[in-house]
Amino acid sequence: MDSEKINQYKTVYNELYAAMKWKVSDSRTLMAIASIYVMSKKEFHFDAFLQLADRIKARAGFFSPMKSTSRFTTAATLDIKFDRPENQINNLFILYDKLRKAKFSSGVYTYLAASTLLTHIDYRNNEEQMIARAKEIYDGMKQEHPFLTSASDYPLAVLLAYENHNDIIEQMERYYESLSKNGFRKGNDLQFLSHILSLDTNTSAGRLVSRTTTIMDSFRDTGIRPKPMYYPIIGMLSLLPEEQFQMHGISQMFDQLNNEKSFRWQKDMNLITAVSFYVNEKIDNKSLAATTLQTTLESILQAQQAVMIATIASTTAATNAANNSTN
């Protein structure tokens, strides 16, 4: 199954790269789009995908991020989630405007938060409540960590808004401090990890911290230095039942991706993809099917991909701006 996933991934990536290498300057964005389709098990049709991206661009305002690379990843998200994705474009922009009215800043991360809302089936019943709750959670994050918290936390704040417990900010802070005492480096990545762990309301905090530390040690034992940028994927693995985690399966996929000519220079992305494929495979396992954990892990995969893609886009934009200023 791992080899089949990787073969599908290569096929979709190569099709995207052949047609879009002049439209998208960072190959990691195309890698992320390819992984979205592979994990959804939805057949990729390039022409339909491109038409959807063009419709998003046409609907966007002149200075909107949806005029640039972000429209492609948004198109992929809508395409895998809806049978008629073109009918959801207007809803995406409506939710974006509602988030802006709730004092979320303009930009790509607010579109990602809107996409997260849109792809939750029950959003229409309580969207105003969820937006207000997400803003309350985000403001709580900002109060605890004013220099770490930024717009990149919007999508996860929306996910946390669906969790029905009142002490979620205190819980996130407990995870943050406990993990920092167990070898994790303080910073935005650790904050993201503490948010992910807070989505599990059924496992004790002590057990989750222990599991997370064990997984980080497993990375190290396999020869993979657990960089802070890997903390979110370590968090996803920590939410799996303990018997479902096997580092050997992840390292095998990681090695396979590293040996592919198209991907060999993107080792960080390869590890993130390997873990995402691994978690995606476990979600399909009968023991997790139709459970709350399955929904939670699917949502985290979506949020993690969204933030990663937006970060790639913003890094690329900053690099292009720097290059343009020196030319």
Side-chain angles (χ1 to χ4, degrees), residues 92 95 99 104 108-118 154-155 158:
L92 175 72
L95 285 172
L99 286 161
F104 287 85
V108 65
Y109 293 108
T110 301
Y111 278 106
L112 294 175
S115 178
T116 303
L117 274 170
L118 184 63
Y154 288 168
V158 169

Side-chain angles (χ1 to χ4, degrees), residues 166-178:
N166 296 323
D167 64 341
I168 198 157
I169 299 299
E170 292 83 356
Q171 187 173 5
M172 287 188 289
E173 190 60 20
R174 284 195 293 271
Y175 281 125
Y176 186 87
E177 292 301 328
S178 294

Side-chain angles (χ1 to χ4, degrees), residues 28-270:
R28 291 174 301 169
T29 301
L30 302 180
M31 291 168 72
I33 293 170
S35 73
I36 288 171
Y37 278 96
V38 171
M39 287 190 286
S40 74
K41 299 178 178 62
K42 179 164 183 175
E43 192 172 347
F44 178 67
H45 298 286
F46 179 76
D47 289 341
F49 161 74
L50 193 61
Q51 285 174 12
L52 186 59
D54 288 344
R55 287 189 180 196
I56 292 170
K57 181 180 180 181
R59 173 65 175 76
F62 188 75
F63 295 107
S64 170
M66 292 297 115
K67 288 287 191 190
S68 61
T69 305
S70 297
R71 73 185 186 273
F72 297 119
T73 50
T74 302
T77 301
L78 295 184
D79 193 24
I80 67 165
K81 289 289 185 180
F82 299 102
D83 292 333
R84 299 291 300 274
E86 64 277 6
N87 293 345
Q88 298 297 328
I89 294 172
N90 200 49
N91 291 331
L92 175 72
F93 284 90
I94 288 170
L95 285 172
Y96 175 82
D97 289 339
K98 288 185 176 183
L99 286 161
R100 290 286 292 120
K101 286 177 184 173
K103 307 299 183 186
F104 287 85
S105 63
S106 62
V108 65
Y109 293 108
T110 301
Y111 278 106
L112 294 175
S115 178
T116 303
L117 274 170
L118 184 63
T119 52
H120 275 71
I121 294 170
D122 61 346
Y123 89 92
R124 292 181 189 280
N125 297 327
N126 55 4
E127 65 185 53
E128 306 290 350
Q129 180 185 341
M130 288 300 101
I131 288 171
R133 176 70 174 141
K135 187 62 167 64
E136 179 187 341
I137 289 170
Y138 176 79
D139 290 343
M141 295 179 191
K142 191 80 172 172
Q143 188 171 350
E144 290 290 342
H145 297 284
F147 298 109
L148 297 181
T149 307
S150 67
S152 65
D153 294 297
Y154 288 168
L156 214 52
V158 169
L159 285 181
L160 290 164
Y162 284 87
E163 298 303 315
N164 190 26
H165 54 95
N166 296 323
D167 64 341
I168 198 157
I169 299 299
E170 292 83 356
Q171 187 173 5
M172 287 188 289
E173 190 60 20
R174 284 195 293 271
Y175 281 125
Y176 186 87
E177 292 301 328
S178 294
L179 290 166
S180 73
K181 293 172 184 173
N182 280 274
F184 288 81
R185 191 184 305 169
K186 287 189 173 184
N188 192 56
D189 296 295
L190 181 55
Q191 179 169 249
F192 197 168
L193 171 54
S194 69
H195 297 170
I196 288 172
L197 298 184
S198 298
L199 289 163
D200 186 340
T201 55
N202 298 315
T203 309
S204 72
R207 191 171 176 183
L208 272 180
V209 169
S210 174
R211 195 183 296 173
T212 305
T213 305
T214 299
I215 289 170
M216 184 174 75
D217 291 340
S218 297
F219 273 57
R220 194 177 283 115
D221 293 343
T222 313
I224 301 170
R225 184 166 63 89
K227 302 177 184 178
M229 71 181 299
Y230 300 155
Y231 290 175
I233 58 174
I234 290 173
M236 285 193 292
L237 291 168
S238 301
L239 295 191
L240 289 172
E242 287 172 82
E243 68 276 8
Q244 299 268 12
F245 170 70
Q246 291 183 333
M247 192 67 210
H248 178 67
I250 294 167
S251 61
Q252 269 193 325
M253 270 197 286
F254 180 46
D255 290 341
Q256 276 185 269
L257 290 167
N258 287 338
N259 288 326
E260 292 292 339
K261 183 178 178 182
S262 299
F263 309 133
R264 67 177 55 163
W265 303 111
Q266 301 291 354
K267 285 188 168 52
D268 289 336
M269 190 72 176
N270 289 342

